């Protein structure tokens, strides 16, 4: 729309142009030069195309290994996005770089809370010593087999490299994976073969690349049933099931869907939040890698039920394997008439677009995710208004987490009441938990609501030899620490709430007596400082000051001298931040203080601030 | 936006337009160039320079043929419709397209969009008026509003964007050869009598001369003395040479100005004046007829004096001692008694409310956000609006083999007219004067970006730097004229004027561009071509 | 005056600090506070810009809301119970000032900002030794003769971005880049302002609340120690550079214009000008 100025002195390369053209195919550039005397452009065309900015930036990054000024100008002129704004968007995401690449491959090595228990810091040093270009990364969602490496490649598909079965991945294994362009195979499910599984039943059983195999294992029967019963009935069943959001906020899914279905505004959207980035969380990845069609089917059920013609699957950029499998599943579903203008010959339209994030935890916040999808900086919006009325593109939107959505398949098939009979009264159904840390069989577990922390740890083979339980990080970095006294607490929404904790994203990360919890807590503070979008003052500066306090504690400063300041920081972040990130950024730290985890412990390692600054 | 690059020339007005666009308004831009303004538009129509009347007629005919006219409004509030329908009949989409260069489909789309819009405005500036058919151009646009009823209603209308902060106010005050203050006709005996009674004097009963007519009178030696206030005709007249020659013929030239302009340099008597906007108290009337206070912030330098004082003292020196020493407020309050449209605007209200749009007849009147609402009154308030059967006429400075390129003058964002005021600040975005050429023309001429060339018209030659502009229409060139000290563009612009308004046809000159030829390598053919 | 847009505004009843008050539907809580004479601090809010609610100094307590809400953007609802001076509100407001003042220079912010800092007893020094904690300290950017950008004074209120973009100028020369504490206002690739899309309307300067963006004249006079607002007068007049009728506020010190602004409530400009209006005054002193 505007009279833009393009000042870059270099030109986009052919590879960049081709990549951008592919990314925006189907829309084409904003400005149409009909002839020397007639040009069409304008605000409507610009607004419509803005959502292509994120894929276009991915295209640039992949084509040449960075967001080059010439490439950015090219994208901006095609989409009529002001270069300063596009630069602002590009610099928001950690997976986009703004200097010429130092190597074809960038190794993002997770040094977050779980991986740093298993030698991540040493791995970074070792890989650097072997000449790799390494960036320390926040949680890569591979906590059951960390430390993890995500290889970001120029002109080729990204890779995930971890140990296959236990132990620490070696630098040699990383080198082989890069040479052979092969990601480490998906994990084996610890509960594989158990007949009790519902959400994970097909994971490790079905061929994730085969629609036929998916169908052979019961796939697409839920959609068939849903289309037969009609949208209102589907919503009623979901409401009856008592299903609540599994992303952390636990909002009743049926209520959310009803709210969107009742909106008069069109178009409506269904968004799947697959930006699983909470440190310690990897359950959605396991579902998406092992049973990608189930998510596609679940989204189709949801979208057709609420009258959303457009679905969006926003998956974090650090999940190359899941992304590839989902893309394939979507393509197959389109080819089979299960997506598109006439879903399974029902006459109902449901289109599904997959979009990759680019390294920003905040984009898991629903309104930040909308902004990210819209091609803007992933800054959360103030609520109200809520997504139900003003979601993606300001239009009515239902946004659900992956785990929430896949629950819809059994609900539709067995009926809401039958579903609600399992679990507890207030927390019906099953729940996925991500076990990591000092347990024998870390991994994703599906249990009925009501299981205790002890049950889960037993399921995971108990503590490793020589370990004594010191604390469990429950719910992720945005959750809280609990001590051994909480072992018999049922992991339900209601029981954790009473205990002042939260199930969050289902993280159960186990620490023992040897673990440096001052370092862990400092790493959590670093994580929030690093992932704050920077929009509001309490979070932007508060997370910095909070980390500074924890660094001082690590250097021997006494907790009693810092308590007032930490309390005030926690208060302003919790009370006055725009979104959940700031509001929860002090939760785990406060709980650690309350449990006395930071008392009387001097720093044991020299790892503070390592890497990710 | 028709013939207006408001993005550069009226940036703050354009903020309002863009707010409308953000709220869903659609924008068409009609301009030979895809200007900054046009880049915001949904559709840009690049017509041939000087074919605005043709395009307007083509749009009008399409509205008529497609049955999109507002028949009720036409019947109620206009005259001459049948004649107009017959007059524009030849302007089929194909014919209009052939004349204007705009694709037929685009003309059709514009016609339909304009006619079917709930509200629509046509905004224009000098791209419409700086032609020898300037007044006709305006009337051709008025026809469109009459066909559709897009006039006299909130949100619809015709919007000429004024180029100077008080050009409207000058007219309001009666600085026109045929009008007294408040647009009351000089030749209206009753109006004149009112002023004569108020001012205790006799007002000549016939219209005076406009600027063009004044220069003609100088040529006939009928005009021998000129008192020129705040105008720089030596630089701003289309034919600067002629203007200078005429001023030299005068017995007496008195110039009152804030700068040492080239006209001041010729004056017999100079009255250095205070700057209107920063050194004087008074009012200015903007494009939307909003009368606002101007206030002195700093004292005038040296011997410069308030213009009110200069004129008062001049009157006293001429022997009239009745004027006293009125303040700007006194003058304004007197004005209110003779100009009904300003009647309700007390000085105190102007101070308090910040700005009031005329007509504002009484002190309890809020002012008028738009005009011509009378056309919707039943019965019509006053005269019905006439359709105008104006002829499409190409620019007078015709293209020829000798002068094959069409030059149009444009404005930069950071400069103002001849640069007298804007040259005093160091703008980081100022690029100086250049002749923008299309890629194809530059190639044909064998010139490159940054090359110094000779630019010639039927009136003269100057040297200019070439700037090759991607997507500029072949055969079209443009330049600003902000730097007459270094690049005197007025030497080559057309000397044609609109006989109805006296406005010069700055928008359409025929020129030739020649490569500069190094000494001793003169190419006979090129040199021989020079007039 | 707008014959079609006139609507009879419905009133909404809310409780404001214990008083029952009626305010027009569609008002923000901040509007309601101002109507009722409840002084409320703001930094990122301006009457001529869309609220972005990022600074959080205007937060208030609303019954039923888990967290404090920004009064600048939250619309009133029937029956809403609002408290503006509770301990929670005071703590958050004080902390916002402490966080800001510990990381950026606030000494050129408007006098009311300092007054609020005092009012809430903010003590930025308790955040730690300024030499050891993170701050926005950086050199001032002087890249042309019209503006300076002194980003160690930038509180990231987004006002300049809004004024450069959708709320006024639509030039989009600057945007927020980076994120977290590293978020900053930048041109693309941080190119200098003269190499950017900037058209020097100065609307960013007009809305900057902390003096991070300033006229070069002001910057130079401050450097020379001659800037003295107590000796300045302001005259409102009409710009001479076109017929739009923009009001200019000429700030004059020692009979020389030193800065130009426009009233934010003026129906023509809404506080915004173009390069000619903002900087074209220099011929008055030629």
């Amino acid at each position: 729309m505007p009279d833009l100025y393009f000042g870059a002195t270099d030109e986009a390369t052919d590879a960049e142009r081709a990549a951008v053209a592919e990314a925006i195919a189907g829309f084409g550039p904003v400005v149409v030069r009909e002839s020397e005397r007639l040009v069409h452009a304008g605000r409507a065309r610009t607004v419509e195309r803005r959502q292509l900015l994120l894929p276009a930036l991915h295209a640039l990054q992949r084509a040449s290994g960075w967001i080059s000024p010439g490439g950015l100008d090219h994208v901006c002129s095609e989409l009529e996005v002001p270069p300063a704004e596009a630069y602002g968007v590009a610099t928001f995401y950690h997976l986009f770089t703004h200097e010429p690449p130092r190597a074809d491959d960038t190794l993002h090595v997770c040094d977050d809370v779980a991986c740093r228990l298993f030698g991540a810091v040493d791995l970074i040093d070792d890989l650097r010593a072997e000449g790799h270009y390494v960036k320390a990364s926040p949680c890569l969602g591979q906590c059951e087999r960390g430390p993890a490496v995500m290889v970001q490649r120029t002109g080729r598909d990204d890779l995930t490299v971890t140990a296959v079965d236990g132990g620490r991945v070696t630098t040699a294994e990383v080198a082989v994976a890069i040479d052979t362009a092969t990601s480490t195979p998906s994990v084996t499910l610890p509960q594989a073969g158990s007949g009790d599984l519902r959400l994970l039943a097909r994971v490790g059983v079905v061929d994730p690349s085969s629609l036929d195999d998916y169908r052979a294992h019961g796939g697409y029967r839920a959609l068939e049933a849903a289309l037969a019963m009609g949208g209102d009935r589907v919503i009623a069943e979901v409401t009856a099931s008592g299903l609540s959001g599994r992303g952390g906020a636990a909002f009743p899914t049926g209520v959310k869907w009803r709210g969107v279905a009742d909106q008069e505004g069109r178009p409506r959207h269904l968004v799947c939040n697959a930006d699983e980035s909470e440190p310690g969380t990897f359950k959605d990845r396991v579902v998406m890698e092992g049973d990608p069609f189930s998510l596609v089917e679940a989204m189709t059920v949801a979208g057709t039920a609420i009258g959303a013609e457009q679905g969006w699957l926003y998956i974090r950029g650090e999940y190359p394997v899941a992304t590839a499998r989902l893309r394939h599943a979507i393509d197959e579903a389109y080819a089979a008439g299960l997506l598109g203008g006439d879903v399974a010959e029902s006459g109902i339209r449901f289109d599904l677009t997959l979009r990759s994030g680019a390294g920003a935890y905040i984009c898991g916040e629903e309104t930040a995710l909308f902004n990210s999808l819209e091609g803007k900086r992933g800054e959360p919006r103030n609520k109200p208004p809520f997504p139900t009325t003003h979601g993606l593109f300001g239009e009515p939107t239902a946004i659900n987490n992956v785990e929430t959505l896949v629950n819809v398949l059994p609900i539709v098939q067995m009926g809401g009441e039958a579903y609600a009979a399992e679990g507890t009264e207030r927390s019906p159904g099953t729940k996925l938990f991500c076990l990591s840390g000092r347990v024998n069989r870390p991994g994703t577990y599906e249990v009925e609501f009501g299981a205790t922390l002890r049950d889960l740890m037993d399921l995971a083979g108990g503590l490793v030899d020589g370990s004594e339980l010191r604390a469990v990080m429950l719910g992720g970095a945005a959750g809280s620490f609990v001590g051994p006294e909480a072992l018999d607490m049922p992991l339900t929404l209601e029981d954790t709430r009473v205990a002042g904790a939260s199930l969050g994203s289902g993280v159960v990360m186990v620490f023992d007596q040897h673990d440096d919890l001052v370092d862990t807590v400092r790493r959590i503070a670093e994580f929030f400082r690093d992932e704050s979008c920077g929009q509001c003052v309490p979070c932007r500066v508060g997370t910095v000051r909070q980390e500074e306090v924890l660094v001082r504690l690590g250097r021997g400063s006494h907790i009693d001298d810092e308590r007032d300041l930490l309390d005030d920081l926690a208060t302003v972040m919790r009370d006055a931040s725009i979104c959940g990130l700031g509001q929860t950024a002090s939760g785990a730290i406060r709980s650690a203080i309350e449990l006395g985890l930071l008392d009387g412990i001097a720093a044991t390692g020299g790892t503070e601030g390592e890497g990710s600054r | 936006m028709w013939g207006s690059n408001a993005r550069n020339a009226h940036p703050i007005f354009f903020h309002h337009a863009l707010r409308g666009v953000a709220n869903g308004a659609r924008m068409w831009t009609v301009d030979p160039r895809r200007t900054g303004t046009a880049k915001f538009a949904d559709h840009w129509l690049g017509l041939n320079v000087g074919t605005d009347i043709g395009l307007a007629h083509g749009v009008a005919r399409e509205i008529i043929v497609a049955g999109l006219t507002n028949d009720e409004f036409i019947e109620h509030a206009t005259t001459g419709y049948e004649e107009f329908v017959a007059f524009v009949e030849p302007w089929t989409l194909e014919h209009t397209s052939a004349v204007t260069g705009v694709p037929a489909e685009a003309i059709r789309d514009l016609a339909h969009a304009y006619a079917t819009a709930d509200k629509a405005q046509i905004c224009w500036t000098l791209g419409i008026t700086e032609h020898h058919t300037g007044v006709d151009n305006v009337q051709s646009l008025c026809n469109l509003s009459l066909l559709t009823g897009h006039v006299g209603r909130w949100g619809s209308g015709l919007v000429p964007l004024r180029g100077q902060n008080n050009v409207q106010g000058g007219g309001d005050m009666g600085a026109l050869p045929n009008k007294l203050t408040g647009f009351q006709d000089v030749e209206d005996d009753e109006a004149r009598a009112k002023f004569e009674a108020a001012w205790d004097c006799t007002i000549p009963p016939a219209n005076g001369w406009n600027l063009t007519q004044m220069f003609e009178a100088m040529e006939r030696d009928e005009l021998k003395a000129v008192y020129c206030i705040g105008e720089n005709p030596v630089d701003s007249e289309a034919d600067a040479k002629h203007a200078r020659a005429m001023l030299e013929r005068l017995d007496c030239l008195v110039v009152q100005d804030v700068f040492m302009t080239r006209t001041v340099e010729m004056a017999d008597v100079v009255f250095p004046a205070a700057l209107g906007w920063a050194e004087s108290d008074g009012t200015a009337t903007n494009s939307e007829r909003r009368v606002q206070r101007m206030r002195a912030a700093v004292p005038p330098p040296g011997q410069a004096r308030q213009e009110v004082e200069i004129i008062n003292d001049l009157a006293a020196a001429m022997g009239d001692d009745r004027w006293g020493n009125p303040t700007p407020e006194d003058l304004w309050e007197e004005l209110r008694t003779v100009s009904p449209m300003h009647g309700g605007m007390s000085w105190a209200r102007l101070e308090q409310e910040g700005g009031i749009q005329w007509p504002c007849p009484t002190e309890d009147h809020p002012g008028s956000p738009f005009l011509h609402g009378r056309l919707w009154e039943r019965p019509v308030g006053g005269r019905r609006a006439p359709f105008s059967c104006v002829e499409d006429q190409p620019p007078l400075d015709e293209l020829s083999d000798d002068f094959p390129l069409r030059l149009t003058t444009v404005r930069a964002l950071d400069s103002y007219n001849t640069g007298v005021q804007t040259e005093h600040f160091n703008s980081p975005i100022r690029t100086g004067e250049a002749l923008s050429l299309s890629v194809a023309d530059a190639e044909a001429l064998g010139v490159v970006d940054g090359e110094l060339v000779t630019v010639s018209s039927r009136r003269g030659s100057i040297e200019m730097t070439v700037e090759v502009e991607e997507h500029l229409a072949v055969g079209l060139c443009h330049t600003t004229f902000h730097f007459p000290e270094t690049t005197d563009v007025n030497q080559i612009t057309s000397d044609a004027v609109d006989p109805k308004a006296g406005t010069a046809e700055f928008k359409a000159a025929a020129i030739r561009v020649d490569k500069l030829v190094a000494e001793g390598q003169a190419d006979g053919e090129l040199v021989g071509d020079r007039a | 005056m707008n014959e079609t847009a006139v609507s009879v505004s419905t009133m909404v009843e809310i409780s404001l600090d214990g008083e029952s008050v009626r305010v027009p539907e569609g008002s923000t809580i901040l509007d309601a506070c101002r109507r009722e004479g409840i002084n409320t601090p703001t930094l990122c809010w301006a009457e001529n810009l869309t609220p972005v609610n990022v600074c959080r100094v205007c937060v208030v307590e609303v019954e039923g809301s888990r967290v404090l809400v920004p009064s600048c953007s939250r619309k009133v609802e029937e029956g809403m119970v609002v408290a503006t001076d509770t301990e929670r509100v005071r703590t958050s407001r004080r902390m916002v000032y402490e966080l800001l003042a510990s990381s950026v220079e606030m000494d050129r912010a408007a006098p009311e900002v300092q007054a609020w800092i005092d009012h809430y007893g903010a003590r930025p020094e308790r955040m730690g030794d300024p030499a050891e904690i993170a701050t926005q300290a950086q050199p001032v950017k002087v890249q042309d003769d019209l503006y300076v950008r002194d980003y160690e004074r930038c509180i990231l209120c987004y006002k300049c971005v809004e004024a450069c973009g959708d709320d006024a100028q639509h030039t989009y020369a600057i945007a927020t880049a980076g994120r977290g504490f590293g978020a900053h206002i930048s041109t693309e690739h941080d190119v200098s302002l003269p190499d950017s899309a900037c058209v020097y309307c100065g609307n960013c300067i007009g809305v900057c609340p902390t003096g991070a963006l300033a006229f070069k004249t002001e910057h130079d006079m401050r450097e020379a120690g001659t800037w003295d607002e107590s000796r300045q007068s302001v005259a409102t007049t009409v710009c001479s550079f076109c017929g739009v009728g923009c009001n200019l506020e000429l700030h004059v010190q020692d009979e020389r214009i030193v800065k130009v602004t426009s009233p934010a409530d003026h129906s023509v400009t809404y506080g915004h000008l173009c390069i000619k209006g903002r900087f074209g005054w220099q011929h008055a002193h030629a």
Side-chain angles (χ1 to χ4, degrees), chain A residues 1-8 43 67-70 72-73 82-85 87-89 91-94 98 359-362 377 379 381-384 529-542 544-545 548 552 555 564-565 568-569 571-572 574-578 583, chain C residues 52-56 59 66-70 73-74 77 88 91-100 102-103 126-129 132-136 154-158 165-166 170-184 186-190 194-198:
Chain A
M1 175 197 50
D3 50 350
L4 300 176
Y5 175 83
F6 301 107
R43 185 181 168 87
I67 307 294
S68 67
L72 190 70
D73 262 12
E85 251 184 44
Y87 179 74
V89 172
T91 54
F92 189 83
Y93 299 99
H94 280 183
H98 307 282
Y361 166 74
I362 189 59
R377 290 166 58 80
E379 294 174 350
R381 305 170 184 168
N382 216 67
K383 291 187 278 193
R529 187 262 297 152
D530 205 32
E531 297 294 344
S532 168
C533 78
Q535 193 185 192
C536 69
V537 175
C539 176
R540 177 176 78 238
V541 191
V544 170
R545 298 290 176 248
E548 286 167 353
R552 288 200 291 268
R555 287 179 183 156
D564 280 353
L565 181 54
D568 274 357
L569 289 168
T571 301
V572 70
R574 187 194 60 223
D575 277 356
S577 293
I578 291 177
Q583 290 161 14
Chain C
V52 290
N53 58 67
V54 298
C55 78
R56 317 304 279 187
V59 288
R66 185 172 47 84
V67 293
L68 302 177
V69 307
S73 55
R74 182 65 173 269
E77 291 160 34
R88 274 179 86 191
T91 300
S92 276
R93 289 182 179 180
R94 170 174 57 80
M95 283 304 292
V96 167
Y97 284 117
E98 287 187 2
L99 292 171
L100 281 178
S102 70
S103 50
R126 75 191 184 106
M127 293 295 161
D129 180 348
E132 293 194 355
I133 62 173
T135 71
Q136 297 291 349
C154 175
I155 59 167
L156 217 67
C157 67
Y158 290 55
D166 287 331
H170 291 78
T171 287
Y172 312 93
I174 48 172
T176 315
R179 83 177 187 216
F181 197 70
H184 61 287
S186 178
T187 58
E188 65 274 18
H189 313 289
D190 200 25
D195 288 333
S196 78
C198 178

Side-chain angles (χ1 to χ4, degrees), chain A residues 389-440:
Chain A
T389 55
H390 295 76
L392 186 61
F393 308 115
E395 291 156 358
T397 302
I399 175 164
N400 295 115
N401 162 272
V402 173
E403 183 186 344
T404 313
L405 283 164
V406 293
N407 265 291
V408 169
L409 302 178
I411 289 171
V412 166
Q413 287 178 285
M414 66 198 289
E417 280 194 28
Y419 178 95
E422 299 187 3
T424 68
E425 194 184 335
R426 292 225 190 123
S427 301
T430 60
K431 174 81 191 95
L432 301 181
F433 287 96
C434 313
L435 272 88
S436 62
R438 305 301 178 184
V439 289
N440 277 312

Side-chain angles (χ1 to χ4, degrees), chain B residues 459-482:
Chain B
R459 291 152 298 281
S461 280
I462 57 173
E463 288 185 359
M464 295 188 77
T465 306
V466 163
E467 192 174 271
V468 179
E469 181 177 317
E470 205 184 358
H471 303 307
L472 186 64
V474 178
L476 181 63
C477 321
H478 64 89
T479 176
T480 68
F481 53 95
H482 299 310

Side-chain angles (χ1 to χ4, degrees), chain A residues 1-4 31 33-45 80, chain B residues 7 21-22 34 39-44 46-48 100-101 106 471 473-474:
Chain A
M1 175 197 50
D3 50 350
L4 300 176
V31 178
R33 293 183 187 282
E34 201 82 51
S35 75
E36 197 185 57
R37 302 305 190 89
L38 179 62
V39 174
H40 306 299
R43 185 181 168 87
R45 293 181 62 83
E80 293 245 292
Chain B
R7 179 63 164 165
V21 168
R34 189 162 177 258
K39 286 178 181 168
F40 285 90
D42 297 286
H43 310 280
W44 164 70
L47 82 178
N48 291 327
T100 62
H471 303 307
V474 178

Side-chain angles (χ1 to χ4, degrees), chain B residues 10 54 80 91 133 150 173 211 245 267 273 303 315 322 363-364 388 432 447:
Chain B
H10 301 96
W91 290 92
T133 54
H150 286 318
M173 295 305 110
L211 191 56
Q303 294 179 293
R322 293 170 300 167
E363 293 219 16
D364 58 359
S388 306
V447 298

Side-chain angles (χ1 to χ4, degrees), chain A residues 236-246 250-254 411 416-417 419-420 424-429 449 493:
Chain A
E237 294 297 339
V238 171
T239 306
S241 77
L243 177 66
S244 63
R246 303 290 196 243
F251 190 82
T253 307
I411 289 171
E417 280 194 28
Y419 178 95
T424 68
E425 194 184 335
R426 292 225 190 123
S427 301
F449 270 115
L493 299 169

Side-chain angles (χ1 to χ4, degrees), chain C residues 70-120:
Chain C
S71 64
C72 65
S73 55
R74 182 65 173 269
K75 299 261 173 40
V76 293
E77 291 160 34
E78 183 67 39
M80 196 179 240
V81 179
V82 179
T84 71
D85 197 29
T86 63
E87 186 57 38
R88 274 179 86 191
V89 169
R90 285 194 298 271
T91 300
S92 276
R93 289 182 179 180
R94 170 174 57 80
M95 283 304 292
V96 167
Y97 284 117
E98 287 187 2
L99 292 171
L100 281 178
S102 70
S103 50
V104 303
E105 292 290 340
M106 300 282 279
D107 59 336
R108 288 183 197 164
E112 60 265 26
V113 174
Q114 193 54 52
W116 282 114
I117 288 176
D118 295 342
H119 176 85
Y120 288 113

